[in-house]
Amino acid sequence: MSPLHTALLQSSGRPGDVAHNLAVLADAAREAAATGARLLVCPELFLTGYAIGADLHRLAEPADGVSARAVAGIAAEHGIAVLYGYPERAPEEHGVVHNSVQLIGPDGSRLANYRKTHLFGCFEREWFTPGEAPVVQAELDGVRIGLLICYDVEFPENVRAHALAGTDLLLVPTAQMHPFQIVPEQMIPVRAFESQMYIAYVNRVGTEGEFEFIGLSCLAGPDGVVRARAGHAEQLVQAAVDPAFLKASRENNPYLHDRRPELYTDLT
């Protein structure tokens, strides 16, 4: 299989302004597609902003809402898959809002929707209800893609569950803040190595309310090497996810093969 060229959009857009953020997404999709990217990954809650309080509920939409249709149009126009974060209003659960991400295919079809399972801090627990599906996946150009959001990836169990389910590329939109630079700088490459997958970790930047987002978005490979790294400003970076390299890495690294699950039953 050919490498999957992946673009990471490190941006906070304009908090509270969905129309502006859709325009930023469209510009990034156009730029990424022009250079051969087949996948664009946006940060956590990109469509609305993160630290906007009650506006999260006001701006929440269902997974098939107006904004989803707008992103589908952008993806189809440029022939690029798009993963974006948004507050999801759950029609089946009255008044419930989830911190979600949705993957739209390059033809505009909805491929997968994931609800954050591990909420971080009082802020998120006040405004969101956690999801209950630990592993959500989709296929893109022969690559099995898995979805997590921010704090989720800091639990090794979540990443290992994806590894055991065959995830090749784990997409992690995030809103990582100061002083947790250790996560993008050290944890993400280690997670990719120990579970033998690629991980795209895509952050916000700048200040929103009490939060200072640190950027440092990256795409790490199964060898623990970072293929692309953003700085602390708004930036679009790209790297390739190589299925052939992943296959060889998994053959040479026996972590998953050498596990002894019978010894781990007391973990839960």
Side-chain angles (χ1 to χ4, degrees), residues 228-252:
R229 167 78 73 190
H232 299 282
E234 296 206 350
Q235 195 173 353
L236 184 69
V237 298
Q238 298 189 35
V241 171
D242 186 347
F245 182 86
L246 178 59
K247 182 176 184 294
S249 181
R250 287 173 170 171
E251 290 173 352
N252 292 328

Side-chain angles (χ1 to χ4, degrees), residues 5-12 24-43 46 80-83 201-203 205 215-219 227-239:
H5 291 275
T6 302
L8 316 182
L9 174 59
Q10 179 169 283
S11 171
S12 289
V24 172
L25 190 158
D27 287 343
R30 183 181 303 108
E31 180 181 346
T35 59
R38 286 283 290 168
L39 171 63
L40 172 67
V41 187
C42 302
F46 178 72
I80 188 171
V82 177
L83 182 80
Y201 186 83
V202 187
N203 200 10
V205 290
L216 299 175
S217 301
C218 64
L219 194 150
R227 275 29 180 205
R229 167 78 73 190
H232 299 282
E234 296 206 350
Q235 195 173 353
L236 184 69
V237 298
Q238 298 189 35

